[in-house]
Amino acid sequence: QVQLVESGGGLVQAGGSLRLSCAASGRTFSSYAMGWFRQAPGKEREFVAAISRSGAITDYADSVKGRSTISRDNAKNTVYLQMNSLKPEDTAVYYCAADWRYTDYGSSSPYEYEYWGQGTQVIVSS
């Protein structure tokens, strides 16, 4: 089992940047593929980015591709999401998720993640 705690959210103007962090505790962090998802009010949770257990493979939603970078530091048990050129439509609660069972590379499906953090709010003002 793993516990996940996100941080780094906040209020930022359009065009600005934020770096979200997700600290993991419990089972060996490098055993988990990791993902970031987000959920805006009234909308379903959507995929943002994923990273494989080693960090060698990454995947991004089209909506953030070219503006965001997912990375991980297995020595620090932390996964990051650097977001640049933020837009008002990026406003959402951002969640990190961990997958031990399903894939090595990190899925874009929320159903293939067993553990979730509590979320961190990102608000982008226009």
Side-chain angles (χ1 to χ4, degrees), residues 49-66:
I51 189 166
S52 63
R53 296 177 181 183
S54 69
I57 301 171
T58 58
D59 187 25
Y60 298 91
D62 288 343
S63 58
V64 304
K65 196 173 294 182

Side-chain angles (χ1 to χ4, degrees), residues 28-85:
T28 305
F29 182 65
S30 57
S31 299
Y32 294 88
M34 300 296 296
W36 284 97
F37 291 79
R38 67 187 182 186
Q39 188 165 19
K43 296 188 177 181
E44 293 186 355
R45 191 167 298 190
E46 65 173 2
F47 170 72
V48 177
I51 189 166
S52 63
R53 296 177 181 183
S54 69
I57 301 171
T58 58
D59 187 25
Y60 298 91
D62 288 343
S63 58
V64 304
K65 196 173 294 182
R67 300 189 294 121
S68 298
T69 302
I70 187 171
S71 61
R72 67 189 296 162
D73 185 336
N74 286 345
K76 294 183 178 179
N77 291 356
T78 303
V79 62
Y80 305 97
L81 181 68
Q82 176 70 42
M83 300 189 295
N84 302 320
S85 302

